[in-house]
Amino acid sequence: MRTSRLILSVALVAMALAGGGGRSFALDPEAKVDPDAGSLELFSFGFKAYQRGEKLEAFEALRFAADKGHPGARWKLGKMYAEGDGVPENDYEAYKIFEQIVREQDEDGGGFSNAAYVSSAVVALADYLRRGIANSPVAVDLPRARQFYFHAASFFGDARAQFELGRMTLHGEGGKANPRQAARWLKLSADKGHVGAQALLGYLLFDGQKISLPAAPVRGLAMLTMALRKASMQDQDWIRGLQEEAFSLASEADRRTALAYAEQQMASAAEVVSTKN
């Protein structure tokens, strides 16, 4: 079975579990957390409470479910700690939870039953190792961060891990630089719709020099332009810098062709979305 079929969306998993059978308290907004319930019921109850905005009650239910071994509950607790979502932000606590998820998956023999949670946890650990956690034992460790990204990128096919691994490989972070290999990782991620990967790959393709390929200014500028338009506020600044650099270096004819192609592709994508809806 292909890995992509095994990596389920965490949201879909949670919704499926929340909709499953169980005692009525899991569906009753007026009910209270029952610490003696099973891990699945507690996770379902916590998920429903979280959806209603009752994050303290959600945290309590998820904590009980996590203590009973539910991987989804552990993952959600880690995310809540990492983002300060309903609890005080605590990166080290999040790190320990994500580490436990990965360690227990390894002990279970590396099956795919909890692939979505494990993949996300591996990427989270890589993020922490890349920047370190202040006032904790977790120091910056770029080689280990690169290893974690590689695991998530290759074993789970995680798009963000592929992007981050491509970026580290391009710049020689945590190991030797290898622009051609970096471009391969970026393409895998870009093909899955990762905007950052599309932008960085477009930048590399624009003149082709770093990756030892013929220059492709029209394709590169078009990719950069589309990525900029789709980028989140967080990514717009660095993508805009690359797009403006490429735009300034392109010929007038290449600019017109690239912008027309980008407009056409964006319009086609919008039409497909409209048709599906």
Side-chain angles (χ1 to χ4, degrees), residues 166 178-188 201 204 211 213:
N178 187 331
R180 288 293 295 272
Q181 185 62 45
R184 294 187 186 101
W185 286 118
L186 292 171
K187 186 177 187 308
L188 288 172
L201 181 60
L204 293 173
I211 53 178
L213 290 176

Side-chain angles (χ1 to χ4, degrees), residues 58-136:
F59 177 82
E60 184 180 6
L62 291 170
R63 181 169 56 83
F64 284 127
D67 289 344
K68 296 184 179 189
H70 195 288
R74 285 182 180 151
W75 177 85
K76 186 58 181 177
L77 287 179
K79 295 291 287 185
M80 292 176 77
Y81 275 122
E83 299 169 3
D85 184 13
V87 294
E89 185 175 339
N90 189 327
D91 285 323
Y92 184 49
E93 192 64 33
Y95 179 90
K96 290 188 292 184
I97 291 172
F98 292 135
E99 188 178 46
Q100 182 182 26
I101 292 172
V102 175
R103 184 173 59 249
E104 290 190 354
Q105 179 73 4
D106 289 340
E107 291 173 355
D108 289 341
F112 287 95
S113 57
N114 302 311
Y117 303 126
V118 178
S119 176
S120 179
V122 171
V123 174
L125 291 178
D127 291 341
Y128 282 129
L129 290 167
R130 195 173 187 179
R131 66 176 184 265
I133 301 174
N135 303 314
S136 84

